[in-house]
Amino acid sequence: MGAYARLPRMRITALAGGVGGARFLRGLRDHLDADPSLAEAELTVIGNTGDDINLFGLRVCPDLDTLLYTLGEGVHEGQGWGRADEGHLVQAELAAYGAEPQWFALGDKDFGTHIVRSQWLGQGLSLSEVTARLAERWGLPRQRVTLLPMSDSPVETHVVVEDDEGQRAVHFQEWWVRMQAAVPAQRFVAVGMDRATAAPGVLDAIRRADVVLLPPSNPVVSIGIILGVPGVRDALRGSSAPVVGVSPLIGGMPVRGHADACLAAIGVESTASAVAGLYEDFLDGWLVSTEDAASVRLPRAAVHGRPLLMSSRAAAADIAGAALALALELKAA
Ligand code: FO1
């Protein structure tokens, strides 16, 4: 064991988006559980809320829900989002009434989350307080995992597109799900970010961390949005903890989702080096896929190549373990 074996209650903080981030963090949890010297570690996850959307009078928080369901062992494994063993009776009734939109699949059990979140928000609870209650049901405190929304004030990523309907902004989810990112995004606008502040505990979680990890989440619309919350980037820059990220690209391509379309929209090439460039003012370590390692040279951050496909839960644990090991190696250096 390295020098860190005596870090009794190591504090790990991670910024995360949806499916890739959630799978990585479940892998991290599995890795910590498997190593007695790390079992006391505490994990704080700062979740992206830019994907949030109002549907049928309900507040839907896709990335927070994906993190809750995945860490809580209730996620639809094949999709990576939504609940396992789902029904769609409610959605069929909504369709029968001609309620819009029908392009965003909401399952019956998933509706339970949106209804109770909307009820609590309507009673005046903050998104942080609501998320803590939801996390309680999913057993996150028992795993020593704390899930914080990046902000308690609403931030929504909208996408400026131009097609036969002319130039307009659509909600991120419409671009991501209905359009499948097939219409080029001219730019992303984080609506509400100008009035947003970091949620309680978010900046502290970065400042007090022994290690900060960036899972292979979308660098533009997940990690990038969290970095836009006032104070977050400065806290990362000022952090004495090593910040280690995991490339979301393998051979220049995203494993799933549309990270390449997002990068193109901001004029960044789809390479592990270019993505690291988005984090270069605070990144200390960068885990890249074996095939990309030879072509990645970073001015400051240490680069480590290994297989990065989270093809199984065990593979995700190995990758998370490698990211943590790189961070602890940098910490000991
Ligand atoms: N993704 C899809 O591709 N199609 C869907 O119909 C869909 C529904 C959905 C419902 C709840 C939820 O929490 C996530 C959902 N997602 C769906 C995934 C979601 O669009 C993405 O996971 C994130 O917002 C992007 O990271």
Side-chain angles (χ1 to χ4, degrees):
M1 298 304 299
Y4 59 84
R6 287 175 297 286
L7 252 180
R9 299 176 68 81
M10 176 174 14
R11 291 191 295 262
I12 304 170
T13 296
L15 279 57
V19 179
R23 284 184 169 154
F24 174 90
L25 291 170
R26 185 176 63 183
L28 179 64
R29 216 12 310 157
D30 289 347
H31 175 77
L32 296 171
D33 290 345
D35 181 339
S37 79
L38 295 172
E40 292 301 299
E42 295 166 0
L43 173 60
T44 301
V45 181
I46 299 167
N48 171 42
T49 59
D51 291 5
D52 296 0
I53 183 170
N54 291 321
L55 290 172
F56 312 113
L58 301 171
R59 190 68 177 158
V60 178
C61 302
D63 281 354
L64 297 181
D65 293 347
T66 296
L67 289 159
L68 286 167
Y69 294 162
T70 303
L71 290 166
E73 308 293 353
V75 75
H76 183 298
E77 199 61 40
Q79 281 174 178
W81 50 266
R83 289 288 303 280
D85 311 319
E86 242 325 353
H88 288 83
L89 294 176
V90 174
Q91 181 133 44
E93 281 305 295
L94 290 169
Y97 284 114
E100 286 297 326
Q102 283 299 318
W103 44 262
F104 198 72
L106 291 171
D108 299 331
K109 292 190 263 185
D110 198 25
F111 265 113
T113 303
H114 312 320
I115 291 167
V116 78
R117 175 188 282 122
S118 304
Q119 178 190 23
W120 288 335
L121 288 172
Q123 291 167 347
L125 274 73
S126 67
L127 184 57
S128 294
E129 289 164 332
V130 169
T131 305
R133 286 189 179 186
L134 298 174
E136 186 72 34
R137 179 258 167 111
W138 288 104
L140 270 59
R142 209 174 33 253
Q143 302 176 22
R144 276 183 304 290
V145 175
T146 302
L147 174 59
L148 304 175
M150 67 185 200
S151 175
D152 278 342
S153 40
V155 174
E156 284 189 6
T157 303
H158 285 232
V159 188
V160 177
V161 295
E162 185 153 15
D163 57 14
D164 47 10
E165 290 179 46
Q167 187 183 48
R168 65 197 196 287
V170 298
H171 189 284
F172 168 77
Q173 293 296 351
E174 180 172 358
W175 181 70
W176 186 267
V177 177
R178 191 176 70 76
M179 301 172 154
Q180 290 291 308
V183 178
Q186 294 186 343
R187 60 192 166 86
F188 297 104
V189 181
V191 177
M193 188 65 90
D194 50 329
R195 294 184 304 282
T197 55
V202 162
L203 299 183
D204 261 358
I206 297 171
R207 293 181 186 128
R208 295 174 58 244
D210 295 306
V211 163
V212 177
L213 298 178
L214 300 184
S217 290
N218 188 306
V220 181
V221 292
S222 293
I223 305 275
I225 297 296
I226 302 172
L227 293 175
V229 174
V232 168
R233 201 165 195 124
D234 289 343
L236 286 166
R237 279 199 199 106
S239 164
S240 58
V243 180
V244 169
V246 180
S247 171
L249 304 174
I250 294 182
M253 290 301 291
V255 174
R256 52 172 295 128
H258 317 291
D260 45 347
C262 297
L263 288 164
I266 63 168
V268 172
E269 55 179 354
S270 259
T271 65
S273 292
V275 172
L278 295 172
Y279 307 145
E280 68 182 358
D281 49 329
F282 57 78
L283 194 67
D284 300 308
W286 189 232
L287 211 56
V288 301
S289 65
T290 315
E291 56 267 62
D292 293 335
S295 62
V296 181
R297 285 284 167 277
L298 301 179
R300 202 170 58 82
V303 179
H304 179 73
R306 73 173 323 277
L308 282 191
L309 190 62
M310 295 191 285
S311 49
S312 68
R313 190 160 167 164
D318 289 346
I319 294 162
L324 181 58
L326 177 53
L328 294 166
E329 196 183 301
L330 294 169
K331 190 174 185 65

